[in-house]
Amino acid sequence: MLEKISKLVRYETPRLILRRARVSDAQAVFEMLNDDETVRFIGAPKANTIEDALASINHYFLQLPRGKFLIERKVDNQVIGSIDLRILSEQHRFGEVGYTLNRQYTGLGYMHEALNAVVDIAFQQMHLHRLEIAHAPQNVKSGNVIRRVSGFKYEGTLRERELLKSGEWVDHVVYSMLESDYAVMRDQE
């Protein structure tokens, strides 16, 4: 499974290309990670310089690239975000999704489209049994994206699950999708 996801370097949707990061993406990654609101709920540090963005690319995307994609708009080849599919257990066929979107592109359906693509990858290509996704309750936009993907089911809220860089503890609102949920979702389309 990990070998299979390592070979996946590009995936296209009607408006987007999910692809591996390149050093030449530093400016777009800087624009995304230079925003306090965008980086508030993710593990990546704020990029104050292009060099910081390059360090993020090298550390996060290039050292272990499997399942990590930048999201590029087809219309102008602009990198607008990132999304990743992490395989947590090959034995149990279990993974999770995380994503980040440059704030100027929110509300346009891009992350919904990218998330649907990664869900397809998870179940059609990786043959996962279970996929999880979570958001902090304060991250309302992320919650809206997750709830728009009809196959995800609310599982519960994990109290004070994560300590943010700001020193604030946040809960995680957890959703999951099983391969049976995925089959029903695709049958309803």
Side-chain angles (χ1 to χ4, degrees), residues 4-26:
K4 189 183 285 186
I5 201 165
S6 294
K7 293 179 180 176
L8 185 63
V9 296
R10 182 183 174 96
Y11 192 89
E12 293 193 29
T13 70
R15 299 184 300 161
L16 304 171
I17 299 168
L18 308 183
R19 63 165 176 82
R20 289 211 178 145
R22 301 183 285 252
V23 171
S24 60
D25 295 316

Side-chain angles (χ1 to χ4, degrees), residues 14 41 98 159:
F41 297 107
R159 299 177 328 145

Side-chain angles (χ1 to χ4, degrees), residues 1 15 19 36 40 47 50 63 74 93 120 148 168 174 184:
M1 193 177 302
R15 299 184 300 161
R19 63 165 176 82
D36 289 322
R40 179 177 177 204
I50 293 288
Q63 280 187 2
K74 287 181 176 179
R93 297 175 29 225
D120 286 344
R148 281 189 62 211
E168 171 190 11
V174 180
V184 168

Side-chain angles (χ1 to χ4, degrees), residues 16-21 25 28-29 31-33 38 42 60-61 68-73 77-84 98-106 110-111 114:
L16 304 171
I17 299 168
L18 308 183
R19 63 165 176 82
R20 289 211 178 145
D25 295 316
V29 171
E31 290 169 11
M32 181 173 57
L33 297 182
T38 299
I42 64 172
Y60 185 73
F61 290 101
K68 299 173 184 171
F69 304 99
L70 288 182
I71 302 167
E72 179 181 303
R73 291 193 320 175
N77 300 103
Q78 177 65 40
V79 170
I80 62 171
S82 68
I83 192 163
D84 61 311
Y99 53 77
T100 304
L101 185 65
N102 182 323
R103 192 161 38 135
Q104 78 181 70
Y105 299 101
T106 61
Y110 291 123
M111 191 52 71

